């Protein structure tokens, strides 16, 4: 397929630039372009066809099933987009006087308050732009707390091996030493290993719950107690709140701070690289350390900014990705108090529905009721037939299904991690299960076909490492 630069003809095209409404100034010579500016010269018709073709080559949640575990690829209601596109939200400037942006401040305050209610926290910041950014911010909260008390010997963060990969990375970026503890047989945190790991040098624990094998840790109260008794704080990675929202609250489980991904559970589209939002919530004793100016006030008397002298400073400019917040608030308000727990209940129901159907043939990494996702272990299949998790994933492409997450979490070899989400109808899940079961049989009957899959995709098996390490993102003119 040609790039946009390679279609069209000199002189063709359209210009819809608005009239210049500021005085024209001459730029200094050294700032002026020295070479010709190559812009695509295409008609509206050509542009439309070009992007439609691109869209047709892409698989998205609007096209078909997208069961990527850990990613929560739910369908995003279009009303969210309509709200985010309202001029009053789209065209405000963060430096406008408070009195002129009361509506936007109300959106922020309301979102912080609803998130606090859902997570069982006392305060929230909407500044972090992603989940990992939220983790970093949450760890800075923990660090600020210990430092403020003059407790400087706490240099370690404990991270169970079933945590999301960003957890240890964020702790290391924050200057902490990461102590990894193994999971027990049942996929939950090994309590004895945790007891051995905590001590006077423990700054805190980061727990992904449900963890990356889709299990809710049954010892959660004991876990937070052990860490607190050692003087550490507890951080809850709630990036995927899809099984938990409206059902249970990290704040009630003993956690001191938490992040959620608005671009997962709270329905902002993601997968194309942004913009995201990873709000961080905390208990009252940590709130003075939160980043940025806090929004105070209420609808009757108006909203205003207030700085905290103990704030860690800003982790992003102003209020983070504000329009993502508008989408999330729209989502939470349209679902409401009844809809939020209903959504999480359906997410868990759908995952278990698929898990039980697939367990007829596939081996489950943990054969127990899961939360919003489950992990299949294809090691035995690979050993017996030579067909790997990658081969099955590639085979799915020929059936129009986006593969589940592969080779994650790392503690399961040949892993396929499935997360259907609450928005999938039963027929779609039935069809995907039938396909996966058919591929299982194919692995036994015709492994070669699966080794060579996909047979009908535009791109088959690209050099993924090469694409990641040496991406070509710049167009070079001949
Ligand atoms: C996605 C995810 C993250 C990281 O979120 P990003 O927005 O990609 O930085 C962290 N933890 C868990 C459990 C996740 O699923």
């Amino acid at each position: 397929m040609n790039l946009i630069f390679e279609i069209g003809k000199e002189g063709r095209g359209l210009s819809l630039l608005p009239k210049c409404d500021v005085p024209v100034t001459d730029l200094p010579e050294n700032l002026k372009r020295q070479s010709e500016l190559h812009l695509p010269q295409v008609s509206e018709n050509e542009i439309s066809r070009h992007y439609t073709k691109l869209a047709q080559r892409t698989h998205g949640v609007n096209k078909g099933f997208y069961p990527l575990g850990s990613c929560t690829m739910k369908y995003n209601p279009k009303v969210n987009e309509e709200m985010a596109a309202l001029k009053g939200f789209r065209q405000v400037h963060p430096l406008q006087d408070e009195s002129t942006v009361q509506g936007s401040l109300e959106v922020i305050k309301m979102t912080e308050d609803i998130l606090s209610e859902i997570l069982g926290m006392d305060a929230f910041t909407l500044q972090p732009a992603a989940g990992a950014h939220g983790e970093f911010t949450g760890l800075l909260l923990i660090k600020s707390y210990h430092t403020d008390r003059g407790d400087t010997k706490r240099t370690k963060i404990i991270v169970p091996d079933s945590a999301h990969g960003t957890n240890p990375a964020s702790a290391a970026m924050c200057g902490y030493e990461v102590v990894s503890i193994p999971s027990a047989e049942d996929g939950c945190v090994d309590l004895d290993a945790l007891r051995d790991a905590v001590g006077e040098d423990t700054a805190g624990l980061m727990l992904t719950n449900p963890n990356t094998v889709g299990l809710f840790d049954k010892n959660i109260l004991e876990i937070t107690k052990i860490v607190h008794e050692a003087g550490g704080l507890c951080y809850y990675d709630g990036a995927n709140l899809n099984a938990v929202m409206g059902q249970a609250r990290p704040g009630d489980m003993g956690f001191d701070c938490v992040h959620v991904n608005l671009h997962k559970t709270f329905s902002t589209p993601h997968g194309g690289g942004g913009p995201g939002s990873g709000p961080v919530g905390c208990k009252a004793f940590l709130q003075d350390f939160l980043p940025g100016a806090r929004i105070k006030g209420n609808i009757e008397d108006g909203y205003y900014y207030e700085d905290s002298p103990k704030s860690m400073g800003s982790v992003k400019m102003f209020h983070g990705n504000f329009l993502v917040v508008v989408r999330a608030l729209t989502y939470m308000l349209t679902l409401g108090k009844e809809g939020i727990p209903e959504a999480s209940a359906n997410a868990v129901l759908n995952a278990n529905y698929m898990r039980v159907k697939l367990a007829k043939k596939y081996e489950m990494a943990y054969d127990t009721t899961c939360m919003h996702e489950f992990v299949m272990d294809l090691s035995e299949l690979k050993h017996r037939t030579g067909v790997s998790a990658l081969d099955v994933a590639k085979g799915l492409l020929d059936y129009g299904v986006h593969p589940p997450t592969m080779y994650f979490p790392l503690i399961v070899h040949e892993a396929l991690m499935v997360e259907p989400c609450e928005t999938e109808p039963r027929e779609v899940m039935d069809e995907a299960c039938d396909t996966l079961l058919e591929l299982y049989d194919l692995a036994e009957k015709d492994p070669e076909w699966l080794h060579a899959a996909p047979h009908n995709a535009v791109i088959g098996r690209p050099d993924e490492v090469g694409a990641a390490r040496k991406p070509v993102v710049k167009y070079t003119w001949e």
Side-chain angles (χ1 to χ4, degrees), residues 101-383:
V101 288
Q102 286 291 304
S104 297
L105 298 189
E106 189 184 349
V107 165
I108 294 172
K109 187 74 172 58
M110 235 172 140
T111 307
E112 288 177 359
D113 290 349
I114 298 178
L115 286 175
S116 295
E117 179 63 31
I118 295 175
L119 277 299
M121 293 287 144
D122 297 312
F124 253 91
T125 172
L126 305 179
Q127 259 197 357
H133 197 191
E135 292 168 28
F136 183 71
T137 307
L139 287 161
L140 284 179
L141 279 180
I142 293 178
K143 200 169 217 172
S144 306
Y145 167 78
H146 292 307
T147 309
D148 190 55
R149 301 168 74 239
D151 191 350
T152 51
K153 61 189 180 305
R154 297 189 178 269
T155 53
K156 292 182 181 165
I157 292 283
I158 300 170
V159 184
D161 67 359
S162 59
H164 193 266
T166 47
N167 293 182
S170 301
M173 265 189 72
C174 207
Y176 281 116
E177 193 181 319
V178 177
V179 181
S180 176
I181 55 167
S183 306
E185 278 283 288
D186 60 3
C188 295
V189 170
D190 184 332
L191 290 182
D192 289 332
L194 178 61
R195 283 193 195 96
D196 287 347
V198 295
E200 286 196 337
D201 54 2
T202 302
L205 162 91
M206 291 182 90
L207 194 77
T208 303
N209 188 63
N211 62 19
T212 53
V213 291
L215 302 180
F216 191 107
D217 204 302
K218 60 182 191 297
N219 301 315
I220 201 120
L221 296 174
E222 187 63 23
I223 292 171
T224 53
K225 191 164 156 240
I226 293 171
V227 176
H228 282 153
E229 278 174 3
L233 297 188
C234 296
Y235 181 92
Y236 188 100
D237 179 338
N240 284 303
L241 210 68
N242 232 34
V244 171
M245 62 172 179
Q247 309 285 347
R249 311 192 313 163
D252 300 335
M253 304 172 206
F255 287 87
D256 306 293
C257 48
V258 55
H259 87 268
V260 290
N261 280 13
L262 298 187
H263 51 286
K264 286 182 180 163
T265 311
F266 296 99
S267 141
T268 277
H270 74 294
S277 177
V280 170
C282 65
K283 287 289 176 72
F285 74 97
L286 290 173
Q287 68 180 350
D288 286 349
F289 305 117
L290 284 171
R294 313 290 307 144
I295 292 173
K296 295 283 164 73
N298 54 50
I299 193 159
E300 284 83 29
D301 308 321
Y303 297 95
Y304 58 93
Y305 298 121
E306 195 176 88
D307 285 323
S308 159
K310 285 191 173 178
S311 166
M312 65 174 74
S314 277
V315 296
K316 194 175 190 316
M317 279 189 291
F318 306 110
H319 311 292
N321 286 326
F322 173 66
L323 293 177
V324 177
V325 173
V326 174
R327 290 180 179 90
L329 181 63
T330 307
Y331 181 70
M332 294 191 287
L333 291 179
T334 44
L335 282 186
K337 206 171 175 172
E338 293 77 31
I340 286 177
E342 194 183 333
S344 50
N346 281 331
V348 173
L349 179 65
N350 282 0
N352 280 289
Y353 180 73
M354 285 191 70
R355 180 182 63 80
V356 171
K357 279 200 124 181
L358 292 172
K360 269 183 233 143
K361 291 196 172 142
Y362 286 92
E363 192 176 318
M364 294 294 148
Y366 298 92
D367 199 9
T368 170
T369 307
C370 64
M371 291 288 112
H372 57 296
E373 61 195 358
F374 60 93
V375 181
M376 306 197 287
D377 183 348
L378 277 65
S379 315
E380 193 275 330
L381 184 73
K382 184 175 178 200
H383 183 71

Side-chain angles (χ1 to χ4, degrees), residues 375-409:
V375 181
M376 306 197 287
D377 183 348
L378 277 65
S379 315
E380 193 275 330
L381 184 73
K382 184 175 178 200
H383 183 71
R384 193 158 44 82
T385 64
V387 168
S388 64
L390 175 73
D391 294 333
V392 172
K394 292 292 180 187
L396 277 172
L397 293 174
D398 284 329
Y399 290 80
V401 173
H402 194 287
T405 296
M406 309 180 296
Y407 300 102
F408 182 83

